[in-house]
Amino acid sequence: MIKRKSLLLLLVPFLLLCVNANTATQNYISRGVDIDRSNIPKNIMFASFPGGRSHVKPMLDIATILVERGYNVILVASGENDTSIEYPAIKQISLGPKIGLRDIGIEVNNEAITFDKMSKLLELGAKSYERVYEIYKSVAEEYNTDLFFCDLLLNDACIDIAHALKKPVVGFTSGLRIMDPKPYKSDPIIMNQINDVRKQLNIEPGNIALGRGVKSSLVLIDTFFGFELPQTLPPYVQDIGPILSEEYPPLSPELSYFINGHERVLYVAFGTRFFTTTDNNSKLLQSFIEAINKKIVDGVVWALVETSKDNFHPTLKLSDGTQVQTSPILNNEHPHIHITKFAPQFTVLNHTNTKLFVSHGGAGSSHETLYTGTPVLVLPHAGDQIGNAQKLITAGVASSLSLNNLDINDILNKMDSLLKDEKVKKNSERMKVLAKINSKRKFRAADLIEYMLHSSTFVEDFNNDFLKEWFPADTRMGIIRANNLDIFAILLIIILSIIGFIVVKLIKLFRFLLMNPSSDDRKSKRE
Ligand SMILES: *[C@@H]1O[C@H](CO)[C@@H](O)[C@H](O)[C@H]1NC(C)=O
Ligand SMILES: *[C@@H]1O[C@H](CO)[C@@H](O)[C@H](O)[C@H]1NC(C)=O
Ligand SMILES: *[C@@H]1O[C@H](CO)[C@@H](O)[C@H](O)[C@H]1NC(C)=O
């Protein structure tokens, strides 16, 4: 009894505490989470040389957050303003037409997008340098730009203008491989072309945080580990992806009707820039028809975008020998195939009836497929898509095809196993959560840009004391101090001296022994 009473007594102060805590929370005062924005410079230029939705959309999603926080953002990019309706708060200035495959000599019925063709893209970048630099310059002067946010693909002009105007610059890319700048920067001929133009125009090359010894910048990468292979990053390179919009357009009534009327829909799209040959298109269409006939899927939606209805053979011969006319299919007379020029991709992938995606494997499409947990059959066309296909396979949510040898049976088998494999389902669920939680980091991207602007107001010399907080001490010290090489060198000298000393002593000892033969030797000589 006594024990119980004392226990109860012990409880009294605890109960009182609870009551206290409860009343106290009502009087708590906010920490004050927001930063004071009154003295932060406000004008930001976002710039992309290639332009087009795939490059510009993630940039605009970050820009939107900044506009909501009171900044003035202007986008300068190649392309016809195709995103200006979706992002009305951001003024858009065109650098000229979107850079497409046709600009580097790739027509629909051309052969492969070879490395050769890709290097034409680099040449195009070099040739456009002066024109683009001048546009950036005049826009920057007109709008009093305080910070440059530069898409890193072929966009040296953006980094150089920031340098010339002594303004901070943030780099942006979707691929970590830019950290190993080979794909775009290693071509000495093109670098020389750009350097020659720079010399003529008397422009100093700006710096961006790529590789060693470059100090004055920050690079944001639209990717996340899990999709990207994990690696350590220096503090001035931060992964902030996958960037996705807060809202997406709804399905059109026809598309909605079609997808709601099918339970296992395959969605096909190759981005807004890519297309392939008539032979390849026809083989793909044939495999989709056969996939429906074999009940692997029950519906197909194909967003043709850059492919026209003329880029298909008029008749197809199916594996079982039947002949099929393509034109009625392309005109949506097939009950289970829906052809459209454009589809709201995220919304289609997000629909519960969409079970599989056939994609070119662009960064944005890869992020959307992971975010919506849709397994994907990747048909990479060029650029980073080959690497993305590999990453999606490593993540356990994909198989891949090659444009160089499309085989109907191979396509059907891969589709079937992606749809049936339990491991693929589990990996898709796992990646979905990872993509979702990381998709909040676009707000951090905006925070980091704000900080760049804020800290730039305190800085005199961009090349020396800007962003010390993100530049590892070793990049300022030089290789020798950073790696303690001086200490190792002294140690090495000491050790070598000791060894040398011992060796010299030993040699002397041997000489001494040889010149004064021992008593044993004398004995043996006598015998
Ligand atoms: C792009 O859209 C803006 C309005 O946001 C308009 O002022 C501008 O003229 C357009 N430019 C082109 C090239 O269409
Ligand atoms: C398919 O496309 C690739 C790349 O464009 C090309 O190399 C290949 O020859 C095409 N195959 C056919 C059968 O057209
Ligand atoms: C995506 O799916 C989720 C869950 O079903 C839903 O809440 C959301 O509104 C969908 N969004 C779009 C754009 O379809």
Side-chain angles (χ1 to χ4, degrees), residues 144-165:
N144 227 334
T145 301
D146 300 302
L147 178 141
F148 292 81
F149 187 80
C150 307
D151 179 359
L152 288 180
L153 185 59
L154 305 172
N155 209 4
D156 298 82
C158 183
I159 292 150
D160 293 349
I161 184 70
H163 181 72
L165 299 176

Side-chain angles (χ1 to χ4, degrees), residues 341-478:
K341 192 74 196 151
F342 186 79
Q345 174 160 302
F346 180 90
T347 316
V348 173
L349 292 174
N350 192 48
H351 196 291
T352 41
N353 291 356
T354 305
K355 303 293 190 204
L356 185 64
F357 185 18
V358 172
S359 168
H360 67 313
S365 296
S366 301
H367 293 164
E368 289 178 6
T369 213
L370 291 169
Y371 189 98
T372 57
T374 318
V376 56
L377 185 54
V378 194
L379 179 59
H381 286 58
D384 61 338
Q385 296 155 19
I386 295 146
N388 291 344
Q390 200 49 54
K391 287 172 202 162
L392 290 165
I393 291 170
T394 308
V397 301
S399 291
S400 77
L401 302 170
S402 162
L403 271 176
N404 292 319
N405 51 356
L406 283 179
D407 175 72
I408 308 277
N409 277 327
D410 178 48
I411 300 176
L412 294 178
N413 288 337
K414 283 177 174 161
M415 278 165 59
D416 195 43
S417 67
L418 280 173
L419 285 165
K420 284 189 182 144
D421 194 340
E422 282 303 315
K423 272 194 223 134
V424 171
K425 285 203 180 86
K426 281 185 186 150
N427 287 329
S428 300
E429 283 304 313
R430 183 173 53 83
M431 291 304 291
K432 191 170 163 172
V433 172
L434 193 56
K436 263 193 185 168
I437 59 176
N438 280 321
S439 70
K440 295 173 188 162
R441 298 188 302 176
K442 66 178 180 180
F443 297 99
R444 175 160 175 79
D447 292 343
L448 294 172
I449 293 168
E450 277 196 275
Y451 178 69
M452 284 279 274
L453 277 164
H454 178 66
S455 71
S456 70
T457 60
F458 301 101
V459 168
E460 297 290 313
D461 178 2
F462 276 106
N463 288 322
N464 283 311
D465 45 58
F466 189 43
L467 287 187
K468 271 190 176 151
E469 46 280 62
W470 290 329
F471 276 81
D474 61 0
T475 59
R476 278 195 295 273
M477 286 177 196

Side-chain angles (χ1 to χ4, degrees), residues 66-84:
L66 290 165
V67 169
E68 279 162 9
R69 293 179 185 177
Y71 295 86
N72 310 313
V73 179
I74 189 156
L75 172 78
V76 186
S78 302
E80 315 296 348
N81 257 353
D82 43 359
T83 39
S84 57

Side-chain angles (χ1 to χ4, degrees), residues 43-336:
N43 302 321
I44 308 172
M45 185 203 286
F46 279 49
S48 167
F49 174 67
R53 284 184 80 78
S54 54
H55 278 255
V56 154
K57 208 171 163 357
M59 297 175 85
L60 289 173
D61 284 322
I62 296 177
T64 302
I65 301 167
L66 290 165
V67 169
E68 279 162 9
R69 293 179 185 177
Y71 295 86
N72 310 313
V73 179
I74 189 156
L75 172 78
V76 186
S78 302
E80 315 296 348
N81 257 353
D82 43 359
T83 39
S84 57
I85 297 165
E86 284 165 80
Y87 298 90
I90 296 146
K91 188 172 171 60
Q92 304 197 6
I93 291 177
S94 178
L95 275 179
K98 176 176 88 181
I99 308 299
L101 297 184
R102 288 173 186 93
D103 297 304
I104 51 170
I106 295 174
E107 290 298 335
V108 170
N109 280 324
N110 248 344
E111 352 62 85
I113 303 170
T114 54
F115 203 75
D116 219 35
K117 292 261 166 63
M118 287 314 272
S119 75
K120 277 211 178 137
L121 190 59
L122 300 175
E123 260 172 55
L124 188 72
K127 266 188 215 143
S128 315
Y129 177 89
E130 181 177 359
R131 179 178 65 83
V132 169
Y133 184 89
E134 290 305 326
I135 298 176
Y136 289 159
K137 189 167 176 228
S138 72
V139 175
E141 281 164 1
E142 184 178 344
Y143 292 93
N144 227 334
T145 301
D146 300 302
L147 178 141
F148 292 81
F149 187 80
C150 307
D151 179 359
L152 288 180
L153 185 59
L154 305 172
N155 209 4
D156 298 82
C158 183
I159 292 150
D160 293 349
I161 184 70
H163 181 72
L165 299 176
K166 298 198 166 39
K167 298 292 178 187
V169 56
V170 178
F172 180 72
T173 172
S174 65
L176 257 184
R177 103 210 126 105
I178 197 116
M179 289 310 296
D180 171 23
K182 266 179 224 136
Y184 309 129
K185 304 250 171 174
S186 71
D187 190 326
I189 299 167
I190 283 140
M191 280 317 283
N192 284 343
Q193 280 181 16
I194 292 191
N195 282 333
D196 287 348
V197 184
R198 276 190 184 122
K199 243 182 238 153
Q200 279 164 25
L201 302 173
N202 207 7
I203 295 168
E204 259 186 63
N207 285 335
I208 192 83
L210 295 175
R212 258 195 165 276
V214 186
K215 296 197 224 164
S216 54
S217 230
L218 170 69
V219 177
L220 303 180
I221 320 253
D222 179 14
T223 192
F224 64 107
F225 294 128
F227 169 52
E228 193 71 49
L229 301 181
Q231 67 168 89
T232 50
L233 291 176
Y236 52 85
V237 176
Q238 306 211 10
D239 52 322
I240 46 84
I243 298 174
L244 287 113
S245 301
E246 296 304 278
E247 289 178 338
Y248 286 91
L251 301 177
S252 66
E254 306 87 63
L255 202 51
S256 169
Y257 180 78
F258 183 90
I259 296 180
N260 285 324
H262 294 86
E263 279 177 356
R264 277 171 300 123
V265 174
L266 162 68
Y267 175 63
V268 188
F270 302 127
T272 51
R273 222 184 281 265
F274 291 91
F275 49 79
T276 180
T277 62
T278 299
D279 276 351
N280 281 334
N281 287 330
S282 305
K283 267 198 192 151
L284 288 169
L285 183 59
Q286 182 182 339
S287 59
F288 303 149
I289 298 169
E290 295 195 17
I292 292 169
N293 293 349
K294 294 204 163 130
K295 302 196 176 358
I296 295 171
V297 293
D298 67 359
V300 173
V301 175
W302 190 346
L304 289 182
V305 197
E306 289 284 285
T307 302
S308 98
K309 290 180 185 173
D310 303 333
N311 303 136
F312 290 88
H313 291 311
T315 52
L316 302 174
K317 191 164 175 234
L318 302 190
S319 307
D320 64 6
T322 34
Q323 300 253 339
V324 177
Q325 304 292 317
T326 52
S327 125
I329 297 177
L330 296 169
N331 290 321
N332 280 337
E333 285 165 29
H334 191 296
H336 306 304

Side-chain angles (χ1 to χ4, degrees), residues 35-46:
I35 57 175
D36 173 13
R37 297 195 167 88
S38 47
N39 292 318
I40 303 181
K42 291 285 186 301
N43 302 321
I44 308 172
M45 185 203 286
F46 279 49

